[in-house]
Amino acid sequence: MVLSLAACGKNEVVKMRFVTGGESGTYFAFGGTIAQHATNNAEGIEVIGLSGNGSQANIQELQKIYASTTDREWATYDQFPKALVDAAVAIEDKRFYEHQGVDWITTVKACVKMFVGTGDAGGSTITQQLVKNMTGNNSVTVRRKVVEIFKAIDFERRYDKNVIMEWYLNLIYFGDRKNGVKSAAAHYFGKELQSLTPAECASLISITNNPSIFSPYASTFEYKGKMMTGEERNNIRKENTLWAMRNQGYLTEEEYQEALAQELK
């Protein structure tokens, strides 16, 4: 087995096509030496240069890469319902609009836990999660966390929050072989993004924490001392997300109660 490194300049996004054990795939990454993958036969590397601060041309380049590898339509930021963005911020990164890529309090806690060998304690901002999704590096190491921090800070210097949120919601995995929120909305609810209710937005965002646990279609197993279906676990996470939205001012009390009462189909 060969380890293949893809490298590009700090203002570039790289697409790497590879084949491993008869299966093909694609990873996105950016900045310096940024993607290491085990591969038997690398088909090739295509580098798309990106510079500036999130210009429309740059976004269109990433959209082309995404569409060519997933056969999915990219959703632009203005297609996201407000409740979808609010849900992501509330449950995943409540200081998203305040930090410059890194929430230092939660990141330090996560690094300490990794140092003492208790695993990844989370603490990643939406920007850091985007970096991880683009590089494909999921290793639980302090080194990965440090590299992720510097890349997130650099990313926020060059792109605004709306661009970061757009990329994040288009690249994140929603379980059941669905990448990106547009395909997830169609798969789980049979809806276009603009038709999603706050409860449905909260349900979708809840999946991303751990799709194998929180996908409504995940298998039944013991969770928190009780046998639960994927739908039941998703409902617990959805209610936590709605509470966070209510607690942080994204939902009024009336909107919160209405979302809790909605039966998802």
Side-chain angles (χ1 to χ4, degrees):
M1 182 168 289
V2 179
L3 291 179
S4 179
L5 291 176
C8 63
K10 73 174 183 178
N11 292 324
E12 294 176 322
V13 167
V14 67
K15 180 182 81 171
M16 179 178 178
R17 287 287 299 169
F18 68 95
V19 173
T20 298
E23 296 184 0
S24 63
T26 300
Y27 283 87
F28 302 96
F30 65 94
T33 301
I34 38 62
Q36 180 170 318
H37 305 287
T39 172
N40 291 324
N41 180 27
E43 295 180 9
I45 296 171
E46 177 185 351
V47 175
I48 304 297
L50 296 182
S51 59
N53 295 309
S55 70
Q56 186 61 33
N58 293 343
I59 297 169
Q60 288 172 349
E61 290 290 358
L62 189 60
Q63 290 171 355
K64 290 176 185 177
I65 300 174
Y66 181 82
S68 69
T69 57
T70 65
D71 294 323
R72 300 294 181 185
E73 184 181 351
W74 184 281
T76 59
Y77 183 85
D78 59 9
Q79 291 177 305
F80 298 152
K82 182 177 183 298
L84 183 69
V85 175
D86 292 343
V89 172
I91 198 66
E92 292 293 331
D93 185 3
K94 66 181 181 181
R95 285 181 281 273
F96 176 66
Y97 295 110
E98 302 167 16
H99 63 64
Q100 284 74 54
V102 178
D103 186 328
W104 290 106
I105 296 175
T106 55
T107 297
V108 168
K109 289 180 179 179
C111 287
V112 169
K113 286 212 168 186
M114 282 189 289
F115 266 121
V116 298
T118 55
D120 191 339
S124 294
T125 63
I126 283 174
T127 313
Q128 288 173 272
Q129 291 180 50
L130 175 60
V131 168
K132 183 169 67 173
N133 289 336
M134 293 180 79
T135 61
N137 188 345
N138 295 310
S139 60
V140 184
T141 65
V142 173
R143 179 181 178 183
R144 191 271 295 172
K145 201 75 174 179
V146 171
V147 171
E148 182 183 279
I149 286 170
F150 282 104
K151 289 188 180 298
I153 292 172
D154 181 59
F155 205 80
E156 290 240 5
R157 288 195 189 106
R158 295 186 284 119
Y159 300 101
D160 66 34
K161 295 290 187 178
N162 288 0
V163 170
I164 292 169
M165 183 62 72
E166 179 178 323
W167 290 13
Y168 172 76
L169 289 176
N170 276 290
L171 296 179
I172 199 166
Y173 183 57
F174 283 87
D176 226 27
R177 303 180 67 180
K178 303 301 174 186
N179 285 84
V181 70
K182 187 174 179 67
S183 60
H187 179 66
Y188 289 109
F189 297 114
K191 288 185 173 184
E192 291 293 330
L193 288 173
Q194 295 90 333
S195 300
L196 293 174
T197 67
E200 290 165 342
C201 290
S203 176
L204 285 178
I205 294 300
S206 296
I207 295 171
T208 65
N209 179 262
N210 190 329
S212 64
I213 295 176
F214 296 114
S215 167
Y217 299 157
S219 59
T220 299
F221 55 80
E222 186 174 335
Y223 180 71
K224 295 186 180 295
K226 182 180 177 181
M227 294 299 293
M228 293 186 190
T229 64
E231 185 175 355
E232 289 171 328
R233 295 189 300 272
N234 178 266
N235 189 61
I236 291 174
R237 180 77 177 173
K238 178 202 71 179
E239 290 183 355
N240 290 340
T241 300
L242 288 171
W243 169 247
M245 294 170 72
R246 165 69 180 87
N247 196 42
Q248 295 171 40
Y250 295 115
L251 293 176
T252 65
E253 181 63 30
E254 182 180 356
E255 290 169 335
Y256 170 64
Q257 294 297 336
E258 182 179 343
L260 282 179
Q262 182 184 352
E263 183 176 347
L264 301 185
K265 298 179 181 180

